[in-house]
Amino acid sequence: MPADLTRFAAVLRDLGVPGQPRELPESAPTAAAAAAQLGCELGAIANSLVFSADGAPLLVMTSGAHRVDTGRVARLIGVAAVGRADARSVREWTGQAIGGVAPVGHPSPIRTLVDLWLDKYDEVWAAAGHPHAVFPTSYAELLRITGGTPADVGE
């Protein structure tokens, strides 16, 4: 069944994002799968990874070329521990399922870090709230629409 991207397209429009959500032929649960389907570099995929930072939600937008260094992130934001959120928490905090978490469109704003590495690309691709959907954006636009903080988050 095709993904219904109407609601997410409206979120982007309300934020003034010119890029439109694009449905992928197959699910893209990993950055490598998304890059292969889009024909772009792995690093141009903006992974939306949800963490628990001392129990509070934290969204880290990281380049597909990186793994998040949770110790570094904890030090950056001044918490004792940062760990991957479980599927239930991800759904509760974002309203979206793991594998399709978008940088925006959540029930409430989520503290967000945006990987400096993404600034190397004129165009980056982020999930559009569904495992089969992405949208084109830029580093500057990700910072603007998420209210995120630029950060060196990768290993």
Side-chain angles (χ1 to χ4, degrees):
M1 176 161 58
D4 180 2
L5 303 176
T6 308
R7 185 177 99 48
F8 192 76
V11 168
L12 293 179
R13 187 174 50 255
D14 290 348
L15 290 169
V17 175
Q20 292 297 306
R22 176 200 251 179
E23 187 170 1
L24 298 172
E26 298 175 27
S27 178
T30 66
Q37 291 182 66
L38 292 164
C40 69
E41 289 184 41
L42 181 61
I45 300 299
N47 282 332
S48 302
L49 303 176
V50 181
F51 293 88
S52 174
D54 285 353
L58 174 68
L59 177 63
V60 178
M61 298 298 304
T62 189
S63 167
H66 283 163
R67 289 182 52 97
V68 172
D69 180 334
T70 56
R72 176 183 291 168
V73 169
R75 288 187 299 280
L76 280 171
I77 65 171
V79 298
V82 170
R84 290 296 287 265
D86 61 43
R88 183 189 54 75
S89 295
V90 170
R91 174 72 76 173
E92 178 184 325
W93 292 335
T94 69
Q96 302 160 356
I98 290 174
V101 174
V104 293
H106 312 137
S108 300
I110 298 175
R111 183 178 192 177
T112 303
L113 300 179
V114 183
D115 190 353
L116 293 167
W117 189 272
L118 291 167
D119 195 26
K120 295 179 180 194
Y121 301 93
D122 292 332
E123 180 177 68
V124 296
W125 291 87
H130 188 282
H132 283 263
V134 295
F135 73 99
T137 187
S138 68
Y139 178 74
E141 191 168 70
L142 276 176
L143 288 171
R144 179 182 69 79
I145 66 176
T146 64
T149 302
D152 182 10
V153 300
E155 294 181 342

